[in-house]
Amino acid sequence: MKLKAALALAFGLAAALHAHAATELVIATVNNGHMIEMQKLGRHFESANPGIKLKWVSLEEGMLRQRVTTDIATRGGQFDVMTIGMYEAPIWGRKGWLQELVTDAAYDVDDLLPAMRNGLSVDGKLFAAPFYGESSMLMYRKDLADKAGVALPERPTWAQVRELAAKIHNPKEGVFGICLRGKPGWGDNMALISTMVNTFGGQWFDMQWKPQIDSKPWHDAVSFYVDLLKSYGPPGSAANSFNEILALTNAGKCGMWLDATIAASFVSDPRLSKVADRIAFTQAPVAVSPKGANWLWSWNLAIPAGSQKVDAAQKFITWATSKEYVQLVARTNGWGSVPTGTRKSTYAQPEFQRAARFATAEKLAIDTANPTDATLPKSPYVGVQFAAIPEFQAIGIAVGQQISMALAGKTSVDNALKLSQAAADREMKKAGYYK
């Protein structure tokens, strides 16, 4: 009996030690729909990898950027897997802040869309894996456009968009002509506004790295944006970001919405949207130039350099960004709900093409976004809705705050751009781009 008791105790201790030894991966992610679904499906990964437990830190977009940037710059070690954007990946990879991702043949890295793979690589080395990718496009209520007698072309002009917004704007019936991001942030309102500036003929910096924010194209674009939302947008637009406008659109309150292509899978889902069958899709509007009219972005999973849990983190990232994960989402929620914009194989699926009315428009937007030639005048930076330099984050935040204040009526467009120009000039001088 003593022997049995001793053996039982030994086995119990061994089991306890094994349980204690389970690797906990702390994953920082954004609170967007596809990431929330990834958390729900994480149990499948844990079942297949019993030695790994997933702990999620889900944050609003702006807070996520702040937390992961601080953590990686200070080597804080709070997170084992980070959700980062196409802006951070090459900059941080070049700085040595990220672990290079090593993939096997089964992962099929060549299946990744070239725009996404190239945007996440430095010198041919992949530093983040795309969970979902996107460009931007116009989503609109075709029933309202038809009633107004307006047929939008595949690539409308901003003037045509304004005309349609005026015709379908009906606040008494709870419908606003257009909804656009107004919440300040370099990746929030400035993602949209940067594309508007591009197509109005502007740029962030000239070839000498001098900020161009107090220029005519910026004034034209921002004045148009502010006037459009004040005239035909919902109240409180200065506080609206992706999730707020998604809720408004799904409730049938937005006549048009220009935003991430990834939104299409939500607004066309009858389980989520009251007007799913009435939404149509077209390319982002243009003004004086088609260049840079639609952005290029991806949310990606990456491993901080110096991580103590590289193998487990690599396993998770491989799983979450694989063809198999796409198939898992399709089996669970249907092909119309899979994360898109990352793999050629997704668009090659007949089931996806049938389920996703937006697929053709989305892929066209992604394929036509060119980060190396996104402005009418020649620019020294890479990026459509951002400039891929470390200083851009601070500049974009400062400018975003000023333009959001102009939208809220707290300052004029002229004053907002003047102060933005001064802030950008200070930042670039401090960084040594010029004296």
Side-chain angles (χ1 to χ4, degrees), residues 235-248:
S237 283
N240 285 346
S241 184
F242 181 91
N243 288 332
E244 290 81 9
I245 302 175
L246 176 61
L248 287 169

Side-chain angles (χ1 to χ4, degrees), residues 5-18:
L7 286 170
L9 179 61
F11 279 119
L13 285 170
L17 284 170
H18 177 73

Side-chain angles (χ1 to χ4, degrees), residues 9-24 46-53 315:
L9 179 61
F11 279 119
L13 285 170
L17 284 170
H18 177 73
H20 181 68
T23 300
E24 182 182 74
E46 290 177 327
S47 296
N49 299 274
I52 303 174
K53 297 295 177 190
K315 269 188 182 180

Side-chain angles (χ1 to χ4, degrees), residues 24-366:
E24 182 182 74
L25 283 181
V26 182
I27 304 164
T29 192
V30 67
N31 64 346
N32 289 349
H34 283 304
M35 271 62 177
I36 292 167
E37 190 58 33
M38 176 172 60
Q39 294 176 44
K40 293 176 184 175
L41 296 176
R43 67 183 187 279
H44 293 275
F45 175 81
E46 290 177 327
S47 296
N49 299 274
I52 303 174
K53 297 295 177 190
L54 306 179
K55 182 180 178 182
W56 301 91
V57 180
S58 184
L59 301 164
E60 180 271 331
E61 192 170 314
M63 184 57 68
L64 172 79
R65 289 196 172 103
Q66 185 181 325
R67 289 277 299 275
V68 299
T69 300
T70 300
D71 189 63
I72 202 160
T74 61
R75 296 190 178 267
Q78 289 182 42
F79 308 115
D80 304 304
V81 175
M82 292 177 164
T83 304
I84 65 173
M86 191 175 275
Y87 165 72
E88 294 94 346
I91 295 174
W92 293 0
R94 197 170 283 112
K95 282 177 174 282
W97 289 358
L98 298 176
Q99 186 81 27
E100 181 188 352
L101 297 183
V102 181
T103 58
D104 58 18
Y107 183 77
D108 192 6
V109 72
D110 291 331
D111 185 50
L112 298 178
L113 293 175
M116 298 304 163
R117 183 178 177 183
N118 294 340
L120 303 174
S121 300
V122 177
D123 298 329
K125 295 178 179 178
L126 192 66
F127 284 97
F131 182 69
Y132 73 80
E134 64 187 40
S135 183
S136 52
M137 66 181 177
L138 187 69
M139 298 158 277
Y140 67 99
R141 288 275 300 275
K142 191 167 187 308
D143 59 322
L144 299 180
D146 289 347
K147 188 178 177 182
V150 176
L152 288 180
E154 183 180 74
R155 172 96 55 185
T157 65
W158 273 109
Q160 288 172 319
V161 166
R162 183 187 173 86
E163 181 186 352
L164 178 57
K167 288 182 176 179
I168 63 179
H169 186 60
N170 191 353
K172 288 182 181 178
E173 296 296 322
V175 176
F176 304 99
I178 191 163
C179 297
L180 299 171
R181 294 191 192 200
K183 188 174 183 180
W186 70 265
D188 222 318
N189 64 340
M190 292 317 300
L192 166 70
I193 291 164
S194 293
T195 61
M196 293 185 71
V197 168
N198 291 339
T199 194
F200 272 79
Q203 62 189 154
W204 275 97
F205 308 101
D206 67 13
M207 290 302 291
Q208 285 72 50
W209 289 104
K210 298 276 179 70
Q212 299 297 298
I213 302 165
D214 201 9
S215 63
K216 184 179 185 300
W218 273 83
H219 278 267
D220 291 346
V222 175
S223 297
F224 185 94
Y225 160 83
V226 168
D227 183 64
L228 183 66
L229 277 181
K230 282 185 174 179
S231 300
Y232 310 117
S237 283
N240 285 346
S241 184
F242 181 91
N243 288 332
E244 290 81 9
I245 302 175
L246 176 61
L248 287 169
T249 302
N250 284 348
K253 295 182 178 180
C254 292
M256 286 182 281
W257 179 25
L258 174 63
D259 211 298
T261 54
I262 203 72
S265 61
F266 304 122
V267 300
S268 62
D269 187 340
R271 295 169 299 179
L272 303 174
S273 173
K274 292 181 179 177
V275 291
D277 60 338
R278 293 171 242 171
I279 299 289
F281 310 96
T282 192
Q283 297 301 296
V286 298
V288 302
S289 170
K291 287 189 176 186
N294 47 288
W295 70 60
L296 185 68
W297 184 254
S298 57
W299 279 116
N300 319 283
L301 301 177
I303 307 169
S307 168
Q308 303 302 305
K309 303 173 186 176
V310 173
D311 290 345
Q314 178 83 53
K315 269 188 182 180
F316 172 75
I317 291 174
T318 299
W319 171 80
T321 62
S322 65
K323 296 178 187 177
E324 290 71 28
Y325 179 83
V326 173
Q327 295 279 348
L328 173 62
V329 177
R331 289 195 305 273
T332 307
N333 300 317
W335 275 101
S337 300
V338 301
T340 60
T342 61
R343 288 187 171 272
K344 301 170 191 173
S345 55
T346 301
Y347 293 93
Q349 287 282 348
E351 300 96 330
F352 174 66
Q353 289 288 340
R354 283 195 297 270
R357 293 187 293 108
F358 55 86
T360 301
E362 176 184 61
K363 191 164 186 297
L364 177 62
I366 291 171

